Amino acid sequence: MKADKTKVIRLLKTARGQLDGILNMVEDDRYCIDISNQLLATQAILTKVNKEILHAHMEHCVKESLSGEDSDQKINEMLILMDKLMK
């Protein structure tokens, strides 16, 4: 992985902490809107992590592969992932 590992780990740990908090909120029968807002915040962090990883992938792995024989494979991987993101 070529992404900033420290940043990715920090964000993932933050998301994990938020998920633990959301579980507590559900167990405590907290207000649905409050739970939903926390879910949205966690999703935003996960989206940010994914963006960081994909950005690094494009800048390093895909860029390097364009001069090699596996460029079609790397481009296909990105297209498949983009299809998943667009669902």
Side-chain angles (χ1 to χ4, degrees):
M1 183 177 81
K2 302 286 185 181
D4 181 347
K5 200 174 200 175
T6 303
K7 182 178 182 179
V8 168
I9 290 170
R10 179 181 49 80
L11 288 168
L12 287 172
K13 286 182 178 182
T14 300
R16 180 175 58 191
Q18 284 186 307
L19 283 172
D20 289 339
I22 293 166
L23 282 168
N24 289 334
M25 292 174 78
V26 170
E27 289 169 349
D28 294 342
D29 291 323
R30 296 275 301 274
Y31 188 53
C32 297
I33 298 300
D34 293 339
I35 295 170
S36 183
N37 281 326
Q38 289 305 309
L39 285 166
L40 291 171
T42 305
Q43 287 173 330
I45 290 173
L46 292 174
T47 298
K48 188 174 183 177
V49 171
N50 197 26
K51 193 174 179 182
E52 176 76 22
I53 290 170
L54 290 176
H55 187 271
H57 180 69
M58 292 293 287
E59 290 231 336
H60 298 283
C61 302
V62 174
K63 194 176 196 178
E64 289 171 11
S65 77
L66 291 177
S67 61
E69 294 179 16
D70 64 341
S71 61
D72 288 340
Q73 178 188 349
K74 294 294 182 189
I75 290 170
N76 192 46
E77 287 173 354
M78 289 305 296
L79 291 172
I80 290 168
L81 189 57
M82 287 172 57
D83 287 343
K84 289 178 184 178
L85 289 170
M86 298 297 169
K87 284 186 179 181

